[in-house]
Amino acid sequence: MNKKQYNNVIENTLKHEQSAQTDDSLATARAIFDNMGVALPQGDMKTVYETIKTDNYMGWKSCTMQEAQEAADNGTAAIGISEDRIVVLSANDEEQSVAQTTSVILLDEETLEDAVSSLVFYQYSNMRSCGDQYGATWSSLDAAMNYYGTDYTYTYCGGYYNYYYTFSDGSRMYFRVA
């Protein structure tokens, strides 16, 4: 996704999703990322923060504030998060800009330091390396389901449906269907 598409998803989510039209920053982030196909942990704000900060949750990786803004500018999901707040970073794009809210910000020279000083920044690395982590490529979903079962999660990227199956111990098996 490029930065125009990224900002378009944010903008349309803010306009059309009821859950994004509140002061609840987590509900807003969930609505935006649901529309992008990006996973956020379940739970309240503190649980989401604690899970993401492990640097081991479904592609979320810690980064600097500048790296987070660069990721957003390249169409990759990026956030600032603390125990009580999450903000989605919008891309810096004059043609497809997004109105800043308490839940969506653009990090630029006009951003007040107080507004971001308590936040830790993350980018969603799975959006950049679409499918790189996937092992087997199956010719049909039926063949994959016969092998892995039907309890799986998927995204569509780069002409493939990318899936993962989570085992009871929390480990995952990644596969794709062409």
Side-chain angles (χ1 to χ4, degrees):
M1 151 177 350
N2 63 39
K3 66 183 177 180
K4 287 185 186 348
Q5 294 165 327
Y6 180 78
N7 277 359
N8 188 46
V9 171
I10 295 171
E11 183 178 26
N12 282 306
T13 302
L14 292 174
K15 285 181 183 176
H16 301 291
E17 295 283 338
Q18 286 291 83
S19 57
Q21 297 173 5
T22 69
D23 290 333
D24 182 348
S25 66
L26 182 56
T28 300
R30 277 194 203 290
I32 290 167
F33 292 137
D34 281 350
N35 287 335
M36 287 184 189
V38 172
L40 272 182
Q42 294 300 312
D44 62 12
M45 191 65 246
K46 185 174 181 181
T47 302
V48 171
Y49 173 71
E50 293 295 328
T51 303
I52 294 233
K53 82 175 191 175
T54 65
D55 243 6
N56 193 27
Y57 183 78
M58 296 184 67
W60 287 104
K61 299 295 177 201
S62 63
C63 62
T64 67
M65 182 171 66
Q66 292 78 14
E67 289 169 333
Q69 186 59 57
E70 287 171 12
D73 289 345
N74 289 316
T76 298
I79 58 171
I81 189 169
S82 67
E83 286 188 359
D84 58 2
R85 180 175 172 224
I86 184 172
V87 294
V88 176
L89 275 60
S90 65
N92 188 3
D93 185 351
E94 292 178 15
E95 293 177 28
Q96 180 72 44
S97 62
V98 174
Q100 305 301 288
T101 70
T102 57
S103 301
V104 176
I105 64 171
L106 169 67
L107 298 174
D108 60 13
E109 54 278 347
E110 294 180 23
T111 303
L112 298 175
E113 189 173 321
D114 290 346
V116 296
S117 63
S118 66
L119 301 176
V120 182
F121 294 90
Y122 293 84
Q123 62 182 315
Y124 190 69
S125 62
N126 280 357
M127 288 178 82
R128 261 195 278 151
S129 56
C130 168
D132 289 349
Q133 71 208 19
Y134 293 87
T137 299
W138 295 85
S139 60
S140 74
L141 183 55
D142 288 339
M145 286 182 4
N146 286 337
Y147 187 81
Y148 295 111
T150 58
D151 190 23
Y152 55 83
T153 304
Y154 73 92
T155 60
Y156 184 78
C157 188
Y160 291 94
Y161 285 96
N162 297 317
Y163 298 83
Y164 64 88
Y165 175 82
T166 305
F167 296 97
S168 59
D169 67 357
S171 64
R172 294 196 175 109
M173 170 61 69
Y174 295 90
F175 62 97
R176 62 178 17 175
V177 176

